[in-house]
Amino acid sequence: MLQDRDKEYPDYFPKHWLDLYKFTENEKTFKKIYESEYGYLLMTPMYMDQLLKMIDAYDFLPEFTQPPKIPKKSAAGQFTLQHLGIWKNSEIFMCRHERYCYPLIHTHSYVEALYVYDGACRHLICGQTIELHKGDFCILSPNAPHCVLAYADDNIILNFLIHEDIFNAAFFDVLGDKDLLSRFFRDILYHSSASPYLIFPTGEDENIRSLVLRMYQENDYQRRYYGSFMTTYFHELMLLLLRYYEMDAIVPSPMDTKLNGQIVAILNYMHVNYNHVTIKELAAFFNYSENYLSKMLKEYTGETFSSLINSIQMKNAALFLEQTEMSIQQISQEVGCFDVSHFTKKFKKIYGVTPTIYRNKKESK
């Protein structure tokens, strides 16, 4: 029985990690152009109309294979997995990004993630260019104009195309009660036009690499229940990212092209120490001045330190009111408000009712 199973399910990795580096005929053609005097034609990101004009102007350039015609109800020029005929038995699709290919700026209606399996690449997102390196896992929001630039033989970039509902369940549901971080990540991915991406630098993490390869092969073989396997593996992948790299997540500044690798750690520190942390303590812990830290929080979240802390305090107060029999005074002290009347005013400002009325309403349901 074991031998039969081995025949049906060959070893995961030998075939695919070797094949990842194998050139397609398309890549061979583009590499020749890239290494010729016309290489510059493949190095400038462009939109579809610009690309088609360039192909018309240079008869040696390969035709661009467009996706099937987009229905009128969809945004013009937008790629969707449904139109490409991909989502049939799975709501996650994987492919390897072609090297040396046309630098087409495009959008799509699904969540995309890029994993740099080897080498590096440049990723143009909403007009900003970021450098991605081996092990970087970049999550990109739907509808963000972007283009991947990979011009070396070892630039092995694996694309994940994910239905938004599947991504939300695997990523945001995992964050659970981390309301501050969940809101922050959601704002970046779904409410920011300037910086709609997150980067998790996983480096040489073999667990991540093995899991990504397993998904890549599962997607390629498409054996029975592969859609369920893809969803399960993706959930595991998000768990690994959040368990080991949540604090290392890199996010772009809403104001400029700088990347910040500490803002997530700062927000998480506030989430854990919300009932006693001060701006002075927080600034000292992360080696910033109070003024600089205050400006950073405002820039990245749109809120002040006090507003963020109040929000976390009252969120936890509401949970204590719903789930425990602690007195109002005990809850007030537990969340860091040692004046009950002041606590009541802050709670009412957010929830519209006093803590007592809030508890009574929850108990009556």
Side-chain angles (χ1 to χ4, degrees), residues 174-185:
V174 169
L175 286 170
D177 65 347
K178 290 191 173 183
D179 185 62
L180 182 58
L181 274 182
S182 181
R183 240 184 330 128
F184 180 65
F185 287 146

Side-chain angles (χ1 to χ4, degrees), residues 127-233:
Q128 295 184 8
T129 301
I130 59 174
E131 300 284 339
L132 295 177
H133 304 281
K134 184 176 181 179
D136 284 350
F137 195 96
C138 178
I139 300 172
L140 179 68
S141 77
N143 305 310
H146 73 115
C147 174
V148 176
L149 308 169
Y151 301 116
D153 292 1
D154 70 343
N155 288 175
I156 307 301
I157 316 301
L158 300 180
N159 293 62
F160 293 74
L161 315 179
I162 312 135
H163 191 289
E164 190 174 317
D165 291 343
I166 295 295
F167 174 76
N168 289 343
F171 188 79
F172 289 112
D173 288 0
V174 169
L175 286 170
D177 65 347
K178 290 191 173 183
D179 185 62
L180 182 58
L181 274 182
S182 181
R183 240 184 330 128
F184 180 65
F185 287 146
R186 194 178 294 273
D187 283 346
I188 289 175
L189 290 178
Y190 295 136
H191 305 297
S192 171
S193 59
S195 52
Y197 63 89
L198 302 170
I199 301 172
F200 293 90
T202 71
E204 299 280 353
D205 191 317
E206 283 302 321
N207 288 328
I208 299 289
R209 290 171 68 79
S210 296
L211 184 54
V212 168
L213 283 177
R214 194 175 305 150
M215 292 183 69
Y216 184 78
Q217 190 201 43
E218 191 68 54
N219 180 89
D220 189 62
Y221 285 161
Q222 296 192 11
R223 299 186 290 258
R224 288 187 304 161
Y225 313 118
Y226 91 94
S228 296
F229 272 99
M230 291 293 285
T231 300
T232 300
Y233 287 148

Side-chain angles (χ1 to χ4, degrees), residues 21 44-45 73 99 134 198 203 269 293 343 351 359 364:
Y21 295 86
T44 303
K73 65 179 181 179
R99 295 156 288 187
K134 184 176 181 179
L198 302 170
Y269 188 94
L293 181 60
F343 164 69
Y351 289 95
R359 169 175 273 173
S364 65

Side-chain angles (χ1 to χ4, degrees), residues 80-96:
T80 73
L81 296 184
Q82 292 92 333
H83 301 140
L84 296 174
I86 291 173
W87 272 341
K88 293 179 180 177
N89 298 307
S90 176
E91 294 182 299
I92 301 173
F93 177 77
M94 281 186 71
C95 59
R96 180 175 64 78

Side-chain angles (χ1 to χ4, degrees), residues 28-46:
K28 291 176 183 177
T29 300
F30 280 118
K31 185 178 180 181
K32 287 180 181 178
I33 297 172
Y34 177 79
E35 292 177 339
S36 74
E37 60 184 303
Y38 295 100
Y40 66 92
L41 295 175
L42 302 180
M43 299 177 66
T44 303
M46 62 191 77

